[in-house]
Every structure is written in structure tokens, then in C-alpha cells.
Amino acid sequence: MTTHQDGNAGGESATARTVSVDVVVVGAGTSGCYAAATIADAGYDVVVVERKDETEAGHIACGDALKGASDFPDAIPKSQLEPAFTNTDVDHGRFEIPQEDTVLEIPVPGELAVIDRWEYGRCLIEGASDSGVEFHYDTVVQDVRQDDSGRVTGVKAMRKGDPVTYEGDMVIDGAGALSILQDKTDLEDATFDTNVQYSQFCSAYREIIEVDEPVEWDDALVFKPTERSAGYLWYFPRTDTEINAGLGFQMNEEPMELVDDLKRDLQGRSEFEGAEVQDKLGAALPTRRPYDSAVAPGFMAVGDAAGHVNPTTGGGIAGAAYAGTYAAEQAIEAIESGRTDDEAALWEYNERVMDHFGARYAALDVYNIFTTAYDVDDLMALLAALPGEKLAEALYGGSTSIGLGLKLKMAVKSIGHLGTIRDLYQTKKAADRLLDHYESYPSERSGFESWQRERDSIMDDIYEVTGAEPKY
């Protein structure tokens, strides 16, 4: 890593510094730390630019539930993160449906855990530091540097009040939802997905609450719909007396009204009587399909900054870890071949993301679209009629089988909602088509536009079937 003073070039202060590395990573979240650790392990210089100070770094609003707890990339192994695992006894979801006076017990495939997200963040940073990653805290990115060809060459930032320019062969954007880097970068000639708007995102708010007596559901992730279909409440037990209580809601909803839903529900639950709030925090997260492409010359986006979140549950830790790893491996390959300015040299990153989890997430977003077109009571009646294992398949696999027998059972249990069942079945078929199409994501940059055209045609059919307003 090299550092030197800048003169007045470009209008910067005479005291501005330039830090030159192989790769600049913005954001010390899961994806950023895994990307940086992978690059450092390969012997390259990397710096992580983080807006929070060293004490607050890793303190992120999160539901604290981790699916895929048994499996992490090698750069920061699970053993390094286990001190943050506070509850490894959770093994299922519990969906409360007051409209139907029903509680669904939902099996969840794979290993589950509830974590202390702040401690997890500290473990991530320690793991990346052990690999040789340098962290620059109190550093707020203000602009992106590009050369005449459009290749991203670095970022401009303020570090502890002083201007700093970071230069690198690659920049990896792990700055989270609605990243400023994407606002500041000219992506007109790149494949990078710019079809991004607030309606595709969710606001999340959570409180860490300490209760006097152990809760009865300390082995479950508890979900409950808000009074409108635009959101849901959660109660995730870090321990049997420390609960992460929160809610997520689409950004086109009034946030304070929905936060009041959480407060009312807390007041109505006897297990929270006399409880103390330990921490409050909010954030934005993508509840949308993964970016069609998250690469541009000299630039890749990872984690929340690329839509790498399960759009139905908001879970994104495992996906972010692998996305960061895949991006780093592709960056190393591009540096070694001298092709960081060539999107084609970065393309395999897109393909690996789609193959691992992106296709499933794109199909799951179809069900988000479906819910926007229906009354919450109709949707809850439908959920109450669906067996827990089928709901689990839909939530985590992107698809589930609905045979004739199951359709008949659902119809009997949901008299008065048959039209919704019919529409769900048609939506499922469309989602399966979309999943198949994403599983054929092009292996080369040259096939991208034709792939997009076919995908958009499938989406038109989905909007027609659901009657929902277009999301993209």
C-alpha cells in the first residue's frame, strides 16, 4: 500500500492524500470483509473504507437470524464467527396469523442460528484484519473516480475530516442498499443494473429487548404480518430472554405508522411486560431480484449493494459472504490478466452469483409482486391453508409443488378465497418459468441483452397474471 500527498490538481486541497492499493473495498459489512480477506489472502494490497468509527463498525440493523450457519467461505471461517452465535437451538419458523387464529410451524432447511450482529461484525473485521486487510474508519465516500474510458479507478472520501483519494485496479462496492457509489458512477455504457428505485427496497427497524422470564418460543423464528400486507413483524430470540424485535416494510409506506404496529404488538404480548429496550437501529435493504449485472469496468457490487438478499425473508448474510468471495476471486483474475477494464473479464462473477442463489431470489421476488395486488386478509387465509413444508419450500427454494390433492385441500380450507388460490397457482407457474430462465443466465457478456429481453417478456406475463403494478 502506498500513500502520497496530492497537490492542487482537480481542485483538491494541497494536504489531500492519495492511497494506492490493488483493490479498494467500500463498506465493512459481510460482503466487504469477505471480499477484502480473500484478496489479502492472495497477497494483494487491499483497504476497506468504512464510514463508521472503529467502535461502531459492525453495528448494523439486522434481524440477527442466520440461515446457512454451517457454511462460510474459507477466507473467514465459521470458527472465527462462532463467538457471535448466541442461539443455535432455533430450528423452525413460527408464523402467527391472527386473522385466521392460526399459528403455522414452518420447517426451515439447513442450519439456523441467531447471532449478536454487532459482535458478529467485530468478528468479521478481526478475521479480515488477521488476513492483512487494512481498515480506514471514519471515512465517508463522496465521489467516484473514472478515467476517460469509463473505468472506475478509485473513490474520493473524507477521512476524519481530511480529504483522501483511494486509487486501485478494482473498486468493490459493499456500501449497502442504495449505495452512493452507484449514484456517482457513470454506468451508461456498462451492463451494470441501474433499474433501481425506492419501491424495490424495504425499511427495517429493530429493537433489542431484554425480558424477565424466558420466552416459550426460544427455538423458533417468529413472524407476524403487520395490519397491512406491506410489512411483517419478527421476534427472533438471541437467547431465551434477549429478543430481537423488529419489522420490515416497503419504502412506499409510511414508516411511523408501521413502527406503531410493532409497539402495539409488543404492548399486547404478555412475555414483553416490563421489558427493557437495550438498543434501537434502522436500515434499508433490497427486497428485489439480484442486479441483472453487478459489474462495470473496474467496478463490482456485492451484498445489499447488488440486491443479494432473499426478498421474502430479508436474509442476506450467507449470500453476502459468497458474493464478496466470488467478486474478490474475479478481481484477482482480472488483475492478473491485466483486464480490469473489460466487463467480459468480470462476467463470471455474475454467473456464479446467479448459479448459487440469484436465480432463486429472482423467483422469490415474484411472490413479493403477487402480495402487492391482494388484500392482507386474503393472503393470510391463503397462508393458513398452505402446509408448513410447502411454505418453507416457497420461502427458501423459490418454488414448491402444488398438486391436485393439495389444491383441493387448500380450496376447502379457503372457501371465499378461491380466486386468490387460482391466481397464486398461475403466479407459481410464471415464477417457475422465471427460475428456469435465470438458471440459463448467459455465461458470456455477449448473450446478456437477449437474455434480458426474454426475462422482461416473462415479467410482463407475471404482471398480467397478478394484476400488480410493474416493479421494474
Side-chain angles (χ1 to χ4, degrees), residues 228 249 253-261 263-264:
R228 288 168 289 174
F249 50 87
E253 293 291 332
E254 291 295 328
M256 290 313 299
E257 290 184 20
L258 283 161
V259 170
D260 287 343
D261 285 353
K263 292 180 179 178
R264 282 194 298 271

Side-chain angles (χ1 to χ4, degrees), residues 197-362:
Q197 51 195 315
Y198 279 98
S199 62
Q200 302 162 4
F201 287 76
C202 171
S203 288
Y205 169 81
R206 69 98 176 104
E207 299 178 350
I208 305 302
I209 298 176
E210 188 74 33
V211 298
D212 293 331
E213 300 293 331
V215 296
E216 295 180 356
W217 35 264
D218 62 338
D219 61 347
L221 304 177
V222 179
F223 298 88
K224 185 177 181 179
T226 55
E227 294 178 3
R228 288 168 289 174
S229 59
Y232 69 91
L233 309 171
W234 70 72
Y235 299 104
F236 295 168
R238 281 187 176 180
T239 69
D240 57 6
T241 58
E242 186 179 69
I243 314 300
N244 181 314
L247 82 163
F249 50 87
Q250 291 300 122
M251 280 192 171
N252 56 357
E253 293 291 332
E254 291 295 328
M256 290 313 299
E257 290 184 20
L258 283 161
V259 170
D260 287 343
D261 285 353
L262 173 62
K263 292 180 179 178
R264 282 194 298 271
D265 203 64
L266 284 167
Q267 292 168 358
R269 301 179 76 106
S270 59
E271 63 263 50
F272 290 105
E273 186 175 351
E276 293 186 5
V277 177
Q278 305 293 329
D279 189 37
K280 299 180 180 181
L281 209 58
L285 72 155
T287 45
R288 51 156 290 152
R289 67 192 182 206
Y291 282 18
D292 289 0
S293 169
V295 304
F299 185 68
M300 286 185 281
V302 293
D304 284 12
H308 295 159
V309 172
N310 183 322
T312 56
T313 67
I317 291 176
Y322 277 97
T325 302
Y326 296 157
E329 291 171 349
Q330 205 62 43
I332 292 166
E333 186 176 316
I335 290 170
E336 291 179 347
S337 65
R339 297 177 62 200
T340 59
D341 60 346
D342 184 358
E343 276 191 331
L346 305 175
W347 196 258
E348 188 177 342
Y349 164 62
N350 284 335
E351 190 180 8
R352 293 178 75 185
V353 166
M354 294 303 185
D355 180 64
H356 188 161
F357 59 82
R360 288 187 292 112
Y361 287 2

Side-chain angles (χ1 to χ4, degrees), residues 393-416:
E393 287 177 12
L395 285 173
Y396 295 102
S399 182
T400 187
S401 58
I402 304 178
L404 177 60
L406 178 56
K407 282 188 281 185
L408 290 173
K409 289 179 182 178
M410 290 172 62
V412 170
K413 293 178 69 174
S414 301
I415 295 296

Side-chain angles (χ1 to χ4, degrees), residues 34-227:
Y34 270 96
T38 302
I39 291 162
D41 280 342
Y44 290 89
D45 287 336
V46 56
V47 62
V48 174
V49 176
E50 168 57 42
R51 65 181 177 84
K52 294 179 180 178
D53 64 28
E54 188 170 1
T55 302
E56 280 287 313
H59 189 201
I60 294 172
C62 179
D64 293 349
L66 174 58
K67 184 181 181 296
S70 61
D71 190 20
F72 283 90
D74 293 337
I76 307 175
K78 177 187 176 183
S79 59
Q80 186 118 26
L81 306 173
E82 283 179 328
F85 287 34
T86 56
N87 184 354
T88 57
D89 292 328
V90 287
D91 59 11
H92 68 286
R94 177 182 171 90
F95 204 102
E96 300 178 354
I97 308 177
Q99 295 92 330
E100 298 292 318
D101 193 25
T102 297
V103 175
L104 289 179
E105 303 290 347
I106 307 168
V108 178
E111 185 178 347
L112 283 175
V114 181
I115 63 174
D116 179 330
R117 183 59 182 81
W118 200 349
E119 179 61 24
Y120 167 83
R122 286 190 281 258
C123 290
L124 277 176
I125 291 169
E126 181 181 351
S129 297
D130 289 346
S131 296
V133 176
E134 184 169 333
F135 286 82
H136 284 196
Y137 301 105
D138 282 321
T139 305
V140 179
V141 171
Q142 297 182 318
D143 207 349
V144 173
R145 292 171 64 96
Q146 292 176 269
D147 63 19
D148 292 340
S149 72
R151 183 176 75 89
V152 175
T153 61
V155 298
K156 295 181 180 180
M158 295 294 291
R159 186 182 184 203
K160 299 180 180 179
D162 295 324
V164 183
T165 296
Y166 293 87
E167 294 179 343
D169 293 325
M170 288 291 307
V171 173
I172 296 179
D173 178 9
L178 302 168
S179 166
I180 187 175
L181 277 74
Q182 293 166 37
D183 287 338
K184 296 293 186 178
T185 305
D186 181 358
L187 297 164
E188 184 177 356
D189 295 327
T191 60
F192 194 97
D193 197 341
T194 58
N195 182 11
V196 181
Q197 51 195 315
Y198 279 98
S199 62
Q200 302 162 4
F201 287 76
C202 171
S203 288
Y205 169 81
R206 69 98 176 104
E207 299 178 350
I208 305 302
I209 298 176
E210 188 74 33
V211 298
D212 293 331
E213 300 293 331
V215 296
E216 295 180 356
W217 35 264
D218 62 338
D219 61 347
L221 304 177
V222 179
F223 298 88
K224 185 177 181 179
T226 55
E227 294 178 3

